Amino acid sequence: MEKNEIILAVFMLTLLAILIAGFLLFIFIWYRKKRNNYLQEKAFAEISYKKELLQTQLEIQEQTFKIISEEIHDNIGQTLSFVKLNLSTIKTDDNIISAKITESNELLNKTIHDLRDLSRSLNPGFISDIGLANAIKQQLQLLEKTGRYTVVFTAEGTEYKNDPQRELVVFRVIQELLNNIVKHAVASVITTTIQYQPEQLVISVKDNGNGFDIENKSAAAHKSLGLRNMYNRMKLVNGSMQITSARGSGTTAIIRLAKDSFSLLKK
């Protein structure tokens, strides 16, 4: 009888230990699951916050560009047109003065034309009108007109349209890349290729400037506000950007944008 009681006691203690272990395991699993859910929700909230913040910045920037575009078109361009008209009404028999007036008219014509191109490039709606490839080509032509650069532009594949907001973000990134070339690269040739591949749009921008040592400067470069903004913008529209460079061999930026993928800018 005593032996049976001992066996029963051992059995009960074992059962109790199993129940306690099971309970503790349940609590541990429940806690881990709850913690993981919390971390996921926190990460999602941070991503959503960054998305909303960047989108707000983009909207403010595009609204500012639109206002500047309208100001250039409606006021500055119109004023220069009036100046040109006034010059054309001046009559003189002095050959030197006449030549100066003609030269001034030609300069005004070029300025008005360049301002119109600048106005169009700042207006968010112009990409939908002329297409992304033509918009990029126009930016390169503006640089070529300065006489400082030789530009090479190639478009491959059958052109297709992505979401207008996504294309606008890509265009602004291209503008920023070109601006960096002008400010830092000390380049003379800019080669741009846009490839309309079946699954993605690939755009490469290459210069023959001084370049930089990726191994030594990539960390600092990635931390720079301009580059960080470009990387973030491409992530926002489900795209990517990769930069390669070598000292004395120029820099190449490759942008990839998935075709017809969901745009995070859409509501």
Side-chain angles (χ1 to χ4, degrees):
M1 188 67 180
E2 185 176 339
K3 183 177 181 181
N4 291 337
E5 289 178 355
I6 293 174
I7 293 173
L8 180 61
V10 171
F11 174 77
M12 294 299 293
L13 288 173
T14 303
L15 180 61
L16 181 61
I18 292 174
L19 289 175
I20 293 174
F23 178 74
L24 291 176
L25 180 61
F26 170 78
I27 293 295
F28 176 75
I29 294 174
W30 175 81
Y31 171 77
R32 286 291 299 271
K33 184 177 180 181
K34 188 173 182 179
R35 183 173 180 273
N36 288 339
N37 288 338
Y38 168 75
L39 292 176
Q40 289 177 356
E41 290 175 0
K42 183 180 178 182
F44 179 77
E46 290 177 354
I47 292 172
S48 297
Y49 171 74
K50 290 179 180 179
K51 166 187 171 285
E52 291 295 334
L53 180 62
L54 184 53
Q55 181 175 345
T56 300
Q57 291 172 342
L58 290 173
E59 289 173 351
I60 293 172
Q61 183 186 67
E62 294 310 322
Q63 183 61 30
T64 303
F65 283 159
K66 185 178 181 181
I67 293 172
I68 295 173
S69 171
E70 292 172 351
E71 182 70 20
I72 292 173
H73 182 271
D74 296 337
N75 295 322
I76 300 176
Q78 192 175 46
T79 301
L80 290 175
S81 295
F82 285 146
V83 172
K84 178 186 172 186
L85 180 62
N86 286 335
L87 280 175
S88 66
T89 62
I90 298 176
K91 305 296 180 182
T92 178
D93 294 330
D94 190 311
N95 291 334
I96 296 178
I97 295 177
S98 179
K100 289 292 184 182
I101 292 173
T102 300
E103 182 181 354
S104 297
N105 262 317
E106 291 174 352
L107 289 173
L108 277 172
N109 269 331
K110 182 180 183 304
T111 302
I112 291 171
H113 181 74
D114 289 346
L115 279 174
R116 284 174 180 169
D117 286 344
L118 178 60
S119 176
R120 283 195 292 268
S121 72
L122 292 175
N123 194 319
F126 91 109
I127 294 179
S128 298
D129 297 333
I130 67 174
L132 179 60
N134 284 329
I136 294 172
K137 184 177 181 180
Q138 186 182 93
Q139 290 296 294
L140 292 168
Q141 289 173 340
L142 287 174
L143 289 179
E144 192 171 41
K145 285 179 181 178
T146 65
R148 295 173 55 190
Y149 305 97
T150 298
V151 303
V152 180
F153 176 79
T154 306
E156 302 174 358
T158 302
E159 183 175 0
Y160 52 77
K161 287 184 177 292
N162 274 289
D163 179 273
Q165 288 180 303
R166 299 176 74 219
E167 290 193 335
L168 180 59
V169 169
V170 171
F171 178 72
R172 295 305 184 205
V173 170
I174 297 293
Q175 282 185 314
E176 186 66 23
L177 287 171
L178 295 176
N179 185 49
N180 284 344
I181 292 174
V182 171
K183 291 195 298 184
H184 306 299
V186 194
S188 59
V189 180
I190 303 172
T191 303
T192 303
T193 302
I194 178 167
Q195 297 176 311
Y196 288 94
Q197 298 179 3
E199 300 298 329
Q200 64 178 348
L201 176 69
V202 181
I203 304 173
S204 67
V205 180
K206 181 179 181 180
D207 67 71
N208 68 336
N210 46 24
F212 59 93
D213 189 340
I214 289 287
E215 295 299 323
N216 294 333
K217 294 188 177 181
S218 60
H222 280 72
K223 289 180 181 178
S224 73
L225 181 61
L227 279 177
R228 187 164 66 245
N229 283 341
M230 285 190 281
Y231 283 118
N232 289 338
R233 287 183 177 191
M234 290 309 304
K235 287 181 180 179
L236 185 66
V237 294
N238 197 23
S240 65
M241 184 177 74
Q242 178 184 6
I243 293 180
T244 58
S245 184
R247 190 177 299 278
S249 299
T251 302
T252 299
I254 298 178
I255 289 173
R256 302 180 189 276
L257 186 70
K259 180 182 178 183
D260 296 331
S261 59
F262 176 73
S263 174
L264 294 178
L265 287 175
K266 280 188 174 181
K267 292 291 187 185

